[in-house]
Amino acid sequence: MFVRMILIVTLLAACESKPVDAPAPTEAAPAASADAAKPEPFSSVSGAQARTIVASGGKLVDVRTPEEFASGHIDGAINIPVQDLAARKGELDATQPTVVYCASGRRSAAAMDMLKGSGFAAVYNAGGISNLR
C-alpha cells in the first residue's frame, strides 16, 4: 500500500511539473515598443488609433461635402471637401499629423494620397465616419 501511494504521488508531481523550456512565471515577456504600436505614415488606421493621433496633436479633417458635414461630424473635425483639398491644403500644417475621414473610406484614401503627393509628413486614413464613433 505504501509503495502504491508513493507511486501515485510521484505521478501526480510529474504531471504538474513544467516542461524544461517553459519560461519561469517570474519572467516577463518583452514589452512591445511604443514605435511598434505607432502606425506608419500614409496608412489606414483604426478608430482607436485615429483618436490617439488626434489626442496627441494631430488634425482631424472630414473630407465629405459641407452638407454631409452639417448632418453630423466628429467633434473637433474641420471640413475640407476632397474636391477642394488641393486648393485648401494650405489651411493645414504639412508637418503635423493629419487624420482624414469620409463616409466610406474612398474619398479619405484619395485625400491621403493627394496630401502625400503634396509633401505632408504624415497622413492617416481613418476610413468612414462610423469607424470614429
Side-chain angles (χ1 to χ4, degrees), residues 10-102:
T10 304
L11 287 172
L12 288 174
C15 290
E16 291 179 6
S17 69
K18 292 181 176 31
V20 175
D21 60 345
T26 57
E27 292 179 25
S33 70
D35 291 334
K38 187 177 178 183
E40 289 293 317
F42 310 106
S43 65
S44 294
V45 294
S46 68
Q49 290 172 312
R51 286 187 290 278
T52 299
I53 293 165
V54 172
S56 298
K59 185 61 107 177
L60 184 60
V61 181
D62 184 325
V63 297
R64 299 175 302 153
T65 66
E67 295 78 22
E68 289 172 299
F69 185 80
S71 71
H73 58 273
I74 304 300
D75 287 343
I78 63 168
N79 181 224
I80 303 178
V82 70
Q83 64 269 20
D84 299 339
L85 193 54
R88 294 181 55 192
K89 68 184 179 210
E91 296 174 30
L92 302 170
D93 181 348
T95 65
Q96 177 182 19
T98 303
V99 176
V100 292
Y101 75 91
C102 62

